[in-house]
Amino acid sequence: QNLEIYGIGNKLVEKIKFSALNGATRLMFFDAIDWVAVSDQVDDPSTSVYIGDAYTDVIFAVVKYIDSWYYLNSLFVTSFEEAYVFDGDSDAFANNVFGRPSGAPLTGCGTDIQLHSSKGAIGLRIDGVQ
């Protein structure tokens, strides 16, 4: 049964957390890039165009201009993702981000809300309620 507490709600949308040959892409709060939402289409990745959104644009600006690990924290994106975003390299996206990197299996994991608490509240505890 759905639970509503004084209008508090959560619209959970699971995303794929893509992996590269040298590790999973992760943003500053260990969250994932929603490539489906920030690309014009992904049915044919070789023709995809990065359209971005405010958060992802800021993340890539940080990647390009900030090199201090004090600020970057866990941020890790691949050179293929940078080529797609900054250079419009759809082949890099098709072959190494959304597709299978040459010689490597396509891997990724779900962004399970219970394992990635940066996505928001996952529970609410109220003690002493009469």
Side-chain angles (χ1 to χ4, degrees):
Q1 181 177 7
N2 291 334
L3 176 66
E4 184 172 328
I5 303 171
Y6 297 106
I8 296 173
N10 188 359
K11 295 180 181 179
L12 176 64
V13 177
E14 291 291 327
K15 299 180 280 186
I16 301 168
K17 189 170 196 171
F18 291 95
S19 295
L21 293 174
N22 49 357
T25 297
R26 60 192 176 276
L27 303 183
M28 292 173 65
F29 302 108
F30 287 94
D31 48 335
I33 298 172
D34 190 349
W35 287 117
V36 175
V38 299
S39 298
D40 66 335
Q41 57 80 33
V42 293
D43 293 328
D44 179 4
S46 67
T47 63
S48 292
V49 175
Y50 175 78
I51 55 174
D53 61 20
Y55 178 63
T56 309
D57 291 350
V58 166
I59 289 297
F60 278 93
V62 167
V63 166
K64 189 168 188 168
Y65 296 108
I66 304 291
D67 60 5
S68 167
W69 281 104
Y70 291 109
Y71 185 79
L72 294 175
N73 191 14
S74 65
L75 181 60
F76 172 74
V77 298
T78 68
S79 60
F80 302 113
E81 292 165 320
E82 290 182 59
Y84 177 59
V85 169
F86 294 122
D87 304 327
D89 188 345
S90 297
D91 287 331
F93 181 68
N95 296 319
N96 297 288
V97 178
F98 207 78
R100 182 180 170 272
S102 179
L106 176 62
T107 59
C109 67
T111 56
D112 184 349
I113 189 71
Q114 295 179 33
L115 298 176
H116 300 83
S117 60
S118 62
K119 292 179 194 68
I122 59 173
L124 180 64
R125 177 178 172 170
I126 303 173
D127 292 331
V129 176
Q130 298 289 325

